[in-house]
């Protein structure tokens, strides 16, 4: 006996096999057309049997018989085939369409249209069901939840046709690769400064003589334990490559708007790790890094530098002084580092010769190729810059800009290449004069070390506690180009306004949080089948950090501004749990065991200021003391610690 699940035979066609009997059911579902298919059972002639009737099964073909062998109880044998409903309907629709084209029968056409609408609804239902099953299966344990959220926030975008030189358009992968390579090759050339050829040649000769001179000084050798400690932290799924990132809010058709990030091989990463350890040991031993630099330093973050800047501004408010800040925009900071200039600075800082020669070898004779799809461009040389993605590049860049000029009349605030020059005085004209005096010294330093500043992208902002903001201020000029005065400037991700009320920053934060929520809406919407605990996890790990960034600085803003974020948080959580209108927000927070937004940012501030005494940077650690109870200090960062919040039914702030 054997079973046939899908015959694909027309009705009336019964293939016979010698010594076998056949029981067959044909598939007949569409009148006036010939339908192929059905099920069948073949069994030996001597087997005692009889057919078992079956009910009409929607979407299933079946044939059943009952057999009896000797004195054993009867056995029911069923040959069944479950059809794929949508595919079978598509097959039926196509058959109906062909039949109507031959007959032009209105009833057949009506059946064809009805079946087409059913297929469209079935496909929509099937897609929704598959998405819900996929969402229900997401979990943070196997990282599927994070991979899905990352894919929604940063979807893959193919490179569109690019604008090449002389107005040409790059369409094919090899053309795109060559156009991007041309742009990067120009980007990896050092800035040319006219009239400095003799100085450049002298620096080059000094570096060459040092590299060619044999040295006997040794450095501490590495150990297997040191190498193993880093190998265990490597991510094995990352392969060496050059990744192209489109700079946010830039035209994707321009090749100059793509930023290269290097993914190095594991062997290169281990070598760089050992090299970085030796560089850090020498820097720590002689304390080279200036305290004004917070970028890539231990226990320092952007919030620490923002705290220092805002405290300087508030100190000026307390003394009735205006604070002028020049925010510099360094063009292609990492990609335009002059190699000889970096090496001569390491020589003058008395780094061990083996380290300097290793860095020289690391930077020399480098080349790159751009890959688009599976096509590679021709090799191009790299004559300047530090590879972004390298372990050593941040520290080397910090050493390169470590000797930026400083004066007694100004303060310097740096986080990697994000630089701010701060000066204070009661008169606006004196503030501008001090900034221009610093710029005159800065221009000499920029010229010597081949660093270019975009004056048009830089900004000046005058902070004052006066009721009226100044107008018609004389612009500060860099290399003869004026730097515009603005009312709001973005520094390290924080929008600073002239009176430090942070209204603009909170509004931008609200819009950004809404944009992130809209991207993740397929996961955390009211109709999403994702588990509530996973929705809450996405809110805590992705949306809430966007809203609370820098809250240690702006947490003392006016309640009329803070309420916007408090209300937005309530809206997000109500959507997560699909709460009806009559459920109070207080109940939702209690059931989810989540603190409201305002107490949350107070806890962040408390942890931040509790850890502040342990920060090794003396400028960050030694912030001025003040009494938050004094009216002039109520808007300063530490004042948030003196506040308590009533969150329900309306948000209110009370002084402890």
């Amino acid at each position: 006996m054997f079973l046939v699940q899908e015959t694909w035979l027309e009705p009336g066609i019964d293939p016979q096999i010698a010594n076998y009997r056949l029981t067959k059911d044909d598939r007949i579902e569409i009148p006036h057309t010939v339908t192929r298919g059905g099920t069948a059972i073949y069994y030996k002639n001597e087997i005692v049997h009889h057919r078992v009737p079956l009910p009409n099964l929607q979407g299933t073909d079946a044939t059943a018989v009952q057999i009896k062998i000797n004195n054993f109880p009867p056995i029911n044998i069923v040959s069944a085939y479950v059809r794929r409903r949508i595919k079978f309907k598509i097959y039926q629709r196509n058959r109906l369409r062909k039949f109507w084209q031959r007959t032009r029968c209105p009833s057949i056409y009506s059946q064809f249209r009805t079946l087409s609408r059913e297929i469209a609804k079935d496909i929509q239902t099937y897609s929704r069901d598959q998405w819900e099953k996929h969402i229900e299966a997401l979990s943070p344990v196997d990282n599927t939840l994070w991979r899905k959220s990352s894919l929604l926030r940063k979807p893959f975008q193919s490179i569109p046709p690019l604008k090449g030189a002389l107005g040409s358009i790059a369409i094919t992968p090899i053309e795109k690769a060559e156009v991007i390579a041309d742009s990067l090759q120009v980007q990896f050339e050092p800035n040319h400064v006219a009239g400095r050829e003799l100085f450049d040649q002298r620096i080059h000769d000094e570096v060459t003589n040092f590299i060619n001179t044999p040295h006997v000084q040794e450095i501490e050798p590495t150990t297997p334990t040191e190498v193993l400690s880093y190998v265990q932290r490597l991510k094995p799924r990352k392969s060496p490559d050059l990744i192209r990132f489109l700079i946010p809010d830039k035209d994707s058709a321009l090749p100059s708007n793509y930023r290269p990030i290097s993914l190095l091989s594991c062997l290169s990463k281990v070598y760089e790790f050992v090299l970085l350890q030796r560089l850090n040991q020498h820097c720590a031993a002689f304390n080279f890094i200036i305290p004004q630099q917070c970028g890539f330093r231990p226990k320092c973050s952007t919030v620490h530098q923002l705290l220092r800047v805002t405290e300087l501004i508030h100190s000026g408010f307390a003394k009735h002084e205006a604070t002028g800040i020049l925010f510099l925009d360094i063009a292609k900071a990492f990609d335009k580092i002059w190699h000889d200039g970096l090496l001569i600075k390491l020589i003058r800082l008395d780094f061990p010769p083996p380290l300097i020669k290793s860095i020289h070898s690391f930077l020399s004779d480098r080349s790159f190729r751009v890959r688009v799809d599976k096509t590679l461009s021709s090799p191009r040389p790299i004559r300047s810059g530090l590879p972004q993605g390298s372990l050593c590049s941040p520290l080397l860049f910090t050493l390169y800009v470590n000797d930026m000029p400083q004066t007694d009349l100004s303060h310097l605030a740096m986080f990697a290449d994000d630089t701010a020059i701060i000066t204070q005085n009661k008169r606006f004209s004196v503030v501008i004069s001090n900034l221009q005096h610093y710029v005159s010294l800065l221009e000499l330093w920029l010229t010597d070390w081949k660093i270019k500043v975009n004056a048009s992208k830089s900004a000046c902002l005058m902070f004052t506690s006066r009721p009226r903001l100044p107008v018609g201020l004389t612009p500060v000029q860099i290399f003869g180009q004026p730097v515009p005065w603005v009312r709001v400037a973005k520094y390290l991700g924080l929008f600073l306004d002239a009176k430090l009320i942070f209204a603009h920053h909170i509004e931008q934060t609200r819009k950004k949080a809404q944009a992130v929520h809209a991207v993740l809406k397929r996961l955390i919407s009211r109709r999403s089948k994702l588990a509530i605990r996973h929705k809450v996890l996405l809110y805590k790990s992705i949306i809430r950090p966007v809203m609370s960034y820098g809250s240690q600085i702006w947490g003392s803003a006016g309640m009329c501004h803070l309420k916007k974020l408090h209300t937005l948080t309530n809206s997000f959580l109500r959507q997560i749990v699909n709460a009806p209108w009559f459920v109070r927000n207080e109940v939702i927070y209690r059931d989810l065991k989540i603190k409201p937004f305002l107490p949350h940012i107070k806890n962040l501030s408390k942890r931040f200021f509790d850890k502040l005494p342990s920060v090794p940077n003396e400028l960050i650690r030694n912030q001025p003391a003040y009494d938050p109870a004094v009216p002039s200090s109520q808007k300063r960062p530490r004042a948030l610690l003196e506040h308590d919040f009533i969150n329900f039914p309306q948000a209110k702030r009370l002084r402890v």
Side-chain angles (χ1 to χ4, degrees):
M1 175 180 291
F2 58 90
L3 312 179
V4 180
Q5 265 75 33
E6 177 59 274
T7 63
W8 283 107
L9 297 175
E10 295 182 6
I13 299 178
D14 302 329
Q16 300 296 327
I17 301 177
N19 300 323
Y20 279 86
R21 295 185 180 180
L22 171 65
T23 300
K24 174 172 167 281
D25 284 279
D26 296 319
R27 182 184 301 157
I28 303 176
E29 292 200 358
I30 305 178
H32 314 295
T33 64
V34 178
T35 305
R36 294 181 176 87
T39 55
I41 300 177
Y42 285 91
Y43 42 86
K44 286 281 190 178
N45 290 332
E46 57 268 19
I47 295 179
V48 179
H49 72 282
H50 68 275
R51 186 165 185 158
V52 177
L54 293 174
N56 185 17
L57 302 175
Q58 184 68 27
T60 303
D61 300 326
T63 302
V65 296
Q66 187 181 83
I67 64 173
K68 183 171 175 36
I69 303 176
N70 298 330
N71 296 324
F72 293 99
I75 302 175
N76 293 325
I77 306 296
V78 179
S79 174
Y81 174 73
V82 180
R83 300 191 300 271
R84 294 184 179 179
R85 186 181 175 205
I86 298 179
K87 292 186 67 175
F88 183 69
K89 280 189 175 183
I90 293 174
Y91 169 76
Q92 290 179 317
R93 180 199 62 187
N94 296 340
R95 299 280 298 177
L96 280 172
R97 179 170 52 197
K98 292 180 181 179
F99 190 72
W100 174 77
Q101 290 172 347
R102 291 196 304 265
T103 63
R104 296 295 175 173
C105 177
S107 62
I108 298 299
Y109 183 73
S110 176
Q111 295 178 34
F112 164 73
R113 292 292 303 273
T114 302
L115 198 55
S116 297
R117 288 191 292 267
E118 290 181 4
I119 290 173
K121 292 181 180 178
D122 290 345
I123 291 176
Q124 184 179 7
T125 303
Y126 175 80
S127 300
R128 183 173 61 251
D129 293 343
Q130 291 298 111
W131 171 258
E132 291 178 353
K133 291 178 181 179
H134 173 65
I135 294 301
E136 289 177 354
L138 296 179
S139 172
V141 178
D142 55 1
N143 290 328
T144 55
L145 179 64
W146 307 121
R147 285 197 293 267
K148 190 65 181 180
S149 61
S150 177
L151 184 62
L152 290 175
R153 287 183 294 136
K154 301 177 182 179
F156 173 78
Q157 295 180 350
S158 60
I159 300 178
L162 301 177
K163 298 178 182 178
L166 303 177
S168 61
I169 302 297
I171 299 177
T172 63
I174 184 61
E175 292 175 345
K176 294 178 182 178
E178 292 295 339
V179 166
I180 296 177
D182 291 339
S183 174
L184 292 180
Q185 184 176 358
V186 175
Q187 188 171 318
F188 292 142
E189 292 286 344
N191 291 319
H192 176 71
V193 181
R196 305 292 296 181
E197 290 79 8
L198 293 178
F199 177 79
D200 297 349
Q201 187 62 39
R202 181 171 60 84
I203 295 295
H204 178 72
D205 294 341
E206 188 175 347
V207 170
T208 303
N209 292 336
F210 181 88
I211 297 300
N212 295 332
T213 302
H215 296 86
V216 295
Q217 183 178 356
E218 297 292 337
I219 59 176
E220 179 186 352
T222 187
T223 62
T225 304
E226 183 181 17
V227 174
L228 181 62
S229 66
Y230 183 74
V231 171
Q232 292 175 342
R233 293 183 292 175
L234 290 175
K235 297 181 179 180
R237 294 187 178 182
K238 283 192 174 181
S239 59
D241 200 352
L242 182 70
I243 301 179
R244 307 166 312 279
F245 284 103
L246 178 64
I247 301 176
D249 302 327
K250 295 292 184 179
D251 185 3
S252 60
L254 297 179
S256 58
N257 292 334
Y258 288 88
R259 178 184 302 165
I261 301 294
S262 300
L263 295 182
L264 305 179
S265 65
C266 292
L267 185 61
S268 176
K269 289 180 181 179
V270 173
Y271 169 74
E272 287 192 32
F273 170 74
V274 176
L275 185 62
L276 179 62
Q277 297 302 311
R278 302 300 177 269
L279 291 171
N280 282 328
Q281 290 172 5
H282 190 76
C283 291
F286 294 92
N287 195 21
F288 287 141
I289 310 300
I290 58 176
Q292 288 83 359
Q293 174 66 267
C294 288
F296 314 113
R297 306 310 303 151
K299 296 185 179 181
C300 280
S301 65
T302 56
V303 180
H304 290 93
Q305 189 66 283
L306 287 169
L307 174 67
R308 175 171 171 258
V309 171
T310 53
E311 287 291 9
L312 283 172
I313 298 171
H314 280 293
S315 298
F317 288 167
K319 295 183 290 185
H320 304 287
E321 291 183 342
T323 302
I325 301 184
L326 169 61
F327 301 98
L328 293 176
D329 181 83
I330 300 178
K332 307 292 183 183
F334 273 78
D335 298 333
K336 292 293 186 178
I337 295 298
W338 180 29
H339 290 169
D340 287 341
L342 173 62
L343 294 172
I344 197 64
K345 290 189 177 186
L346 297 180
I347 294 172
R348 294 174 180 176
L349 290 174
D350 199 25
F351 273 83
L355 280 180
I356 298 177
K357 293 182 178 180
S358 297
I359 294 172
H360 175 265
S361 176
F362 173 68
L363 297 177
S364 301
D365 300 325
R366 295 180 69 96
S367 62
F368 72 93
R369 301 177 74 179
V370 175
R371 180 172 62 87
V372 177
D373 296 336
K374 296 182 180 180
T375 306
L376 290 173
S377 68
S378 58
R380 308 298 178 90
I382 299 178
R383 297 189 175 91
S384 72
L386 300 170
Q388 298 194 42
S390 168
L391 295 175
C392 296
S393 294
L395 180 58
L396 294 177
F397 178 83
T398 300
L399 293 171
Y400 190 76
V401 299
N402 195 57
D403 58 345
M404 185 174 285
Q406 301 185 47
T407 65
D408 295 334
L409 298 177
S410 61
H411 303 274
L412 185 63
M414 303 175 66
F415 194 93
D417 61 326
D418 290 313
T419 306
I421 295 92
I422 308 167
T423 183
Q424 295 176 318
N425 197 278
K426 292 186 177 181
R427 298 174 60 186
F428 296 145
S429 59
V430 177
V431 171
I432 297 174
S433 176
N434 292 341
L435 288 177
Q436 190 63 60
H437 172 69
Y438 180 87
V439 168
S440 63
L441 300 177
L442 180 65
E443 289 175 348
L444 298 176
W445 182 83
L446 294 173
T447 302
D448 286 342
W449 303 111
K450 297 187 177 184
I451 298 177
K452 183 180 179 181
V453 171
N454 290 325
S456 59
K457 294 184 179 180
S458 302
C460 286
L461 179 57
M462 188 71 74
F463 296 87
T464 178
S465 58
R466 299 181 186 180
R468 288 188 176 184
L469 297 178
V471 293
L473 297 175
T474 304
V476 177
Q477 295 192 356
I478 301 179
F479 294 108
Q481 298 181 0
V483 178
W485 287 95
V486 296
R487 296 295 180 91
V488 177
K490 187 177 182 180
Y491 182 62
L492 300 180
L494 202 69
F495 289 92
L496 303 175
D497 55 87
K499 294 184 178 296
L500 285 189
I501 60 177
F502 296 109
H504 183 79
H505 175 77
I506 292 176
E507 179 61 24
Q508 293 300 316
T509 299
R510 186 183 67 85
K511 293 179 179 179
K512 187 175 181 180
Q514 287 179 327
V516 175
H517 179 268
V519 170
L520 297 176
K521 195 168 185 179
R522 297 188 71 185
L523 296 179
I524 60 177
S525 64
R526 291 179 179 270
R527 297 182 179 181
S528 174
K529 297 298 182 180
L530 187 66
I532 291 181
R533 64 181 185 278
H534 295 161
K535 292 183 182 180
V536 173
L537 186 60
L538 288 176
Y539 162 76
K540 287 182 177 180
S541 58
I542 298 178
I543 299 178
R544 191 168 67 178
V546 171
M547 301 173 63
S548 60
Y549 171 74
S551 59
Q552 301 89 337
I553 310 300
W554 53 262
S556 299
M559 277 300 295
C560 60
H561 307 304
L562 296 178
K563 281 182 179 180
K564 296 179 181 179
L565 299 181
H566 173 77
T567 305
L568 187 64
T569 304
N570 296 343
S571 173
F572 288 161
L573 292 181
R574 294 188 72 88
Q575 293 183 41
I576 285 175
V577 300
N578 193 18
W581 63 270
F582 53 82
V583 176
R584 294 181 177 271
N585 294 327
E586 185 177 2
V587 176
I588 297 175
Y589 282 98
R590 184 177 66 245
D591 292 346
L592 295 179
K593 299 179 181 179
I594 297 178
K595 282 192 173 183
F597 181 75
L598 299 180
H600 170 70
I601 63 174
K602 180 181 178 181
N603 288 346
L604 292 179
S605 296
K606 186 177 185 305
R607 290 199 297 267
F608 174 79
F609 286 108
D610 287 345
K611 295 179 181 179
L612 201 60
S614 63
V615 176
N617 191 316
E618 57 183 9
L619 290 181
I620 302 298
R621 185 176 61 250
N622 300 327
Q623 291 298 315
Y626 54 85
D627 183 8
V630 178
S632 60
S633 301
Q634 290 182 1
K635 297 300 181 182
R636 301 182 75 161
R638 286 184 185 270
L640 178 60
L641 304 179
E642 303 297 323
H643 294 153
D644 201 358
F645 295 97
I646 297 176
N647 301 284
F648 310 107
Q650 292 184 350
K652 297 180 181 180
R653 181 169 57 191
L654 304 176
R655 182 168 297 280
V656 179

